[in-house]
């Protein structure tokens, strides 16, 4: 492993967060390295207009795409067999592929030896675009190659895996949203759910991925929290939880501590309607910052039937009542 990969592996294993629900915000140097790799791809495509065509990206990078089924073990084993007899052996231990799929409930895979992306054919079409971009993200980050599918002894630890996935997610977001093109468009809009819905159509990505990118990559001075999960009135996540992801903006993380999941849920339930699709309501909520000062956030929720998205956006300092 060269010095660049060794350094990156060390960085990956030391920077994980214990809370798997909340987003990992990458260091400035890591984000800059990824931005450079994505920028090379977009320049190679002639800085295209949105929406980005992933088939053009695959052609530029000489990537192959195939499909497998995570719900059909025999199909997956057949896929592995075909990959290991086609000229060169893809994996020294084919079982690693099965192990990775099962251990991490993978929806897509990247096989560096064949420059091949495999997508789970059981996934809805709306999610395939993000899954494919995520694997392209792995393929363009040179320090990921030795960390894929158990090739590095530390790559399958939970902390390292979370960091690697966060890096690939960041690369996918920068690619699908055309880096500064999205940031400029988002900054020209008001930080509200209506703005996110409009940007979704323009860049051709899902509501959920646009929501996540909006919070992490726009309005840098505005503290925001994004909540992704099941409908608060009809929880269907494991153990009755309603949040799969809590996305905190860099400005929020700098100024505020993370709120407990119970607190977030209780605030949403004060206004959340029982309708299963569409706007679910909104409410102003007071949140205390790291200095003990209170601030007002606007919480608003929307359900698209399979995800409920809640955006909490900073509004103003909480007014103080001066006594006589």
């Amino acid at each position: 492993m060269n010095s660049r990969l060794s350094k990156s592996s060390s960085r990956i294993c030391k920077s994980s967060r214990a809370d798997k629900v909340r987003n990992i915000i990458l260091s400035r140097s890591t984000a800059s390295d990824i931005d450079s790799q994505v920028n090379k791809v977009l320049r190679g495509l002639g800085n295209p207009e949105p929406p980005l065509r992933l088939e053009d990206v695959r052609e530029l990078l000489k990537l192959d795409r195939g499909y497998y089924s995570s719900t059909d073990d025999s199909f997956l084993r057949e896929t592995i067999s075909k990959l290991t007899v086609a000229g060169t052996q893809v994996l020294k231990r084919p079982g690693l592929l099965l192990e990775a799929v099962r251990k991490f409930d993978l929806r897509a895979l990247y096989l560096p030896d064949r420059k091949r992306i495999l997508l789970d054919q059981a996934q809805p079409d709306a999610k395939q675009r993000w899954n494919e971009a995520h694997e392209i993200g792995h393929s363009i980050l040179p320090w990921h190659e030795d960390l894929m599918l158990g090739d590095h002894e530390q790559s399958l630890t939970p902390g390292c895996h979370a960091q690697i996935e966060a890096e690939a997610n960041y690369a996918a977001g920068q690619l699908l949203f055309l880096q500064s093109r999205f940031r400029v468009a988002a900054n020209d809009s008001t930080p509200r759910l209506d703005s996110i819905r409009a940007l979704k159509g323009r860049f051709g990505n899902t509501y959920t991925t646009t929501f996540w990118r909006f919070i992490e990559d726009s309005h840098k001075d505005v503290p925001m929290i994004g909540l992704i999960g099941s409908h608060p009135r009809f929880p269907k996540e494991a153990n009755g939880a309603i949040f799969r992801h809590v996305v905190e903006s860099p400005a929020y993380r700098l100024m505020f501590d993370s709120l407990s999941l119970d607190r977030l849920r209780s605030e949403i339930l004060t206004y959340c309607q029982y309708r299963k699709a569409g706007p679910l309501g909104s409410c102003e909520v007071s949140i205390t910052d790291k200095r003990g000062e209170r601030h007002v956030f606007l919480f608003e929720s929307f359900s698209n039937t399979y995800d409920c998205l809640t955006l909490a956006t900073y509004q103003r300092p909480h007014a103080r009542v001066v006594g006589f």
Side-chain angles (χ1 to χ4, degrees):
M1 184 183 295
N2 63 37
S3 59
R4 169 73 178 272
L5 291 176
S6 178
K7 180 180 179 181
S8 299
S9 300
S10 175
R11 175 184 63 200
I12 285 171
C13 292
K14 291 180 180 178
S15 60
S16 62
R17 286 170 58 87
D19 190 342
K20 296 179 181 179
V21 175
R22 289 182 169 83
N23 60 317
I24 295 173
I25 295 179
L26 303 181
S27 70
R28 185 172 300 177
S29 63
T30 299
S32 178
D33 286 345
I34 297 172
D35 287 340
S36 295
Q37 297 299 324
V38 173
N39 188 255
K40 290 178 185 177
V41 174
L42 295 178
R43 285 203 318 268
L45 295 172
N47 296 313
E49 294 292 319
L52 180 68
R53 286 166 45 91
L54 289 181
E55 53 266 48
D56 293 342
V57 179
R58 292 198 311 273
E59 182 178 355
L60 176 71
L61 299 175
K62 296 180 171 56
L63 293 172
D64 181 32
R65 184 185 68 183
Y67 293 87
Y68 69 91
S69 173
S70 61
T71 59
D72 184 348
D73 183 71
S74 62
F75 186 94
L76 187 55
R77 288 183 181 277
E78 180 184 356
T79 302
I80 296 171
S81 176
K82 289 180 179 179
L83 288 171
T84 55
V85 298
T88 59
Q89 187 176 16
V90 177
L91 298 170
K92 293 181 180 179
R93 289 175 52 203
L96 286 176
L97 184 56
L98 283 169
E99 178 185 334
V101 168
R102 290 166 176 160
K103 183 172 184 178
F104 298 118
D105 191 25
L106 298 180
R107 302 307 185 197
L109 298 163
Y110 172 58
L111 304 178
D113 291 354
R114 290 294 296 267
K115 291 181 69 68
R116 191 175 201 197
I117 292 170
L118 292 176
L119 302 176
D120 182 358
Q121 64 180 11
Q123 288 293 293
D125 290 343
K127 295 186 178 181
Q128 293 288 16
R129 179 172 168 83
W130 175 262
N131 292 342
E132 183 175 346
H134 176 95
E135 300 310 318
I136 291 173
H138 282 305
S139 79
I140 65 174
L141 302 182
W143 61 92
H144 279 204
E145 184 166 347
D146 283 355
L147 297 170
M148 300 300 295
L149 297 174
D151 288 339
H152 187 282
E153 63 180 1
Q154 292 177 310
S155 67
L156 294 181
T157 63
C160 290
H161 182 260
Q163 181 71 16
I164 293 167
E165 293 303 286
E167 292 182 359
N169 280 338
Y170 179 80
Q174 291 299 305
L175 188 65
L176 288 176
F177 292 97
L178 303 174
Q179 292 189 314
S180 61
R181 296 287 293 275
F182 177 80
R183 192 177 307 120
V184 170
N187 284 338
D188 285 342
S189 67
T190 304
R192 296 289 300 269
L193 286 178
D194 285 344
S195 300
I196 296 173
R197 281 199 294 274
L199 289 166
K200 164 190 174 296
R202 179 175 175 183
F203 285 83
N205 300 311
T206 66
Y207 196 169
T208 301
T209 56
T210 308
F211 177 80
W212 192 307
R213 182 53 41 204
F214 189 96
I215 295 166
E216 284 196 337
D217 205 31
S218 73
H219 298 279
K220 289 296 187 182
D221 296 327
V222 180
M224 290 183 278
I225 311 171
L227 307 171
I228 303 171
S230 59
H231 194 299
R233 297 292 183 186
F234 311 104
K236 58 184 179 183
E237 305 298 335
N239 302 319
I242 65 169
F243 305 126
R244 293 197 314 280
H245 303 287
V246 177
V247 187
E248 297 170 343
S249 72
Y252 179 89
R253 188 102 25 112
L254 180 66
M255 189 173 176
F256 296 87
D257 290 319
S258 297
L259 297 178
S260 71
L261 301 184
D262 286 342
R263 164 77 190 280
L264 291 167
R265 179 178 183 175
S266 66
E267 296 291 358
I268 294 172
L269 288 175
T270 62
Y271 67 80
C272 184
Q273 300 176 24
Y274 280 89
R275 68 173 61 160
K276 292 191 176 182
L280 301 179
S282 63
C283 182
E284 289 193 339
V285 175
S286 177
I287 298 177
T288 303
D289 67 17
K290 293 178 180 180
R291 300 171 57 184
E293 298 177 353
R294 297 168 65 196
H295 302 266
V296 176
F297 280 69
L298 176 65
F299 277 59
E300 53 177 339
S301 300
F302 180 91
S303 173
N304 58 9
T305 69
Y306 52 86
D307 269 336
C308 177
L309 306 178
T310 296
L311 179 65
T313 310
Y314 183 89
Q315 301 296 298
R316 61 188 181 276
H318 193 280
R320 295 181 179 180
V321 178
V322 180
F324 294 95

